Amino acid sequence: MGGMGGRGASAGGRGKKRPGVTRPDGATVTVDGLSSRPELNGQEATITGFDGGRGRYVVELLNGESLSLKPENLHQKVSNVKLVGLSKRPELNNTTATILTYHDGRYNVQPSGGSSASSVLSLKPGNCVLPNGTIVTVVGLQKGTEHNNHNGRVLSFDDVAGRYLVDIGGHQLKLKPENAIA
């Protein structure tokens, strides 16, 4: 699925213009969906640049290895996520959590104060309200399909409508949580 390589001529993406909305340098991400090196899936990395010519992020794994990965092979770790609509764990509603990964349509989140693997929950996007400023990828739109796979920035969340207002580079969309993935 995703290709890899070293920093090469991009030198970490310096000098390349970032088109639209991209994840910022220094953001913590999780590698996901690599078929050529599946042993890297689930590993944490830090964004060190963006190669606009190749449309790939340059990331550094915790072991120091540098990779060039497609945006769809990275999921951002997001803090201060508000948990909502949890019927089986109502005591966690309106508390905060950190999104650790996203896989098979669900976020793996760790509630604030939880430090063990047993406290990690698998939740639907509709149970997690992302904070303003979070970079998301637009996915699964049936109408407006031209926006799918574009990144945007969360401007706000309408609790009544259950929709995010997302800026995708000068154009604003109202999106369901399952269509705006961190």
Side-chain angles (χ1 to χ4, degrees):
M1 192 176 210
M4 285 160 286
R7 288 181 190 257
S10 73
R14 290 188 273 301
K16 298 281 187 179
K17 185 178 178 190
R18 291 178 185 243
V21 178
T22 59
R23 292 179 172 91
D25 290 356
T28 301
V29 293
T30 303
V31 177
D32 183 48
L34 297 180
S35 56
S36 62
R37 291 193 56 197
E39 72 277 9
L40 297 179
N41 291 332
Q43 289 198 29
E44 194 170 285
T46 302
I47 293 176
T48 59
F50 184 78
D51 183 341
R54 296 180 65 210
R56 293 173 181 247
Y57 286 96
V58 179
V59 300
E60 187 174 307
L61 297 174
L62 294 177
N63 68 5
E65 182 179 359
S66 182
L67 305 171
S68 177
L69 300 174
K70 295 177 183 178
E72 59 265 27
N73 294 120
L74 300 173
H75 295 290
Q76 190 169 347
K77 188 174 182 180
V78 181
S79 300
N80 298 315
V81 173
K82 181 178 158 185
L83 302 180
V84 296
L86 300 175
S87 57
K88 293 184 180 177
R89 299 284 307 270
E91 72 278 9
L92 294 176
N93 286 325
N94 297 310
T95 64
T96 60
T98 298
I99 293 175
L100 304 174
T101 60
Y102 177 80
H103 192 68
D104 291 334
R106 298 177 80 85
Y107 290 121
N108 288 324
V109 303
Q110 185 163 42
S112 297
S115 59
S116 69
S118 65
S119 67
V120 174
L121 305 172
S122 177
L123 300 176
K124 295 177 183 177
N127 296 119
C128 302
V129 177
L130 304 171
N132 294 349
T134 301
I135 304 300
V136 296
T137 302
V138 178
V139 297
L141 294 180
Q142 300 300 311
K143 294 181 180 178
T145 56
E146 69 275 10
H147 301 300
N148 285 332
N149 298 315
H150 285 97
N151 285 347
R153 183 178 318 277
V154 172
L155 299 176
S156 62
F157 184 77
D158 182 335
D159 290 312
V160 175
R163 301 277 197 278
Y164 290 105
L165 181 61
V166 176
D167 179 3
I168 59 167
H171 186 73
Q172 295 181 356
L173 302 173
K174 291 182 180 180
L175 300 171
K176 296 177 183 177
E178 62 267 23
N179 299 123
I181 303 301

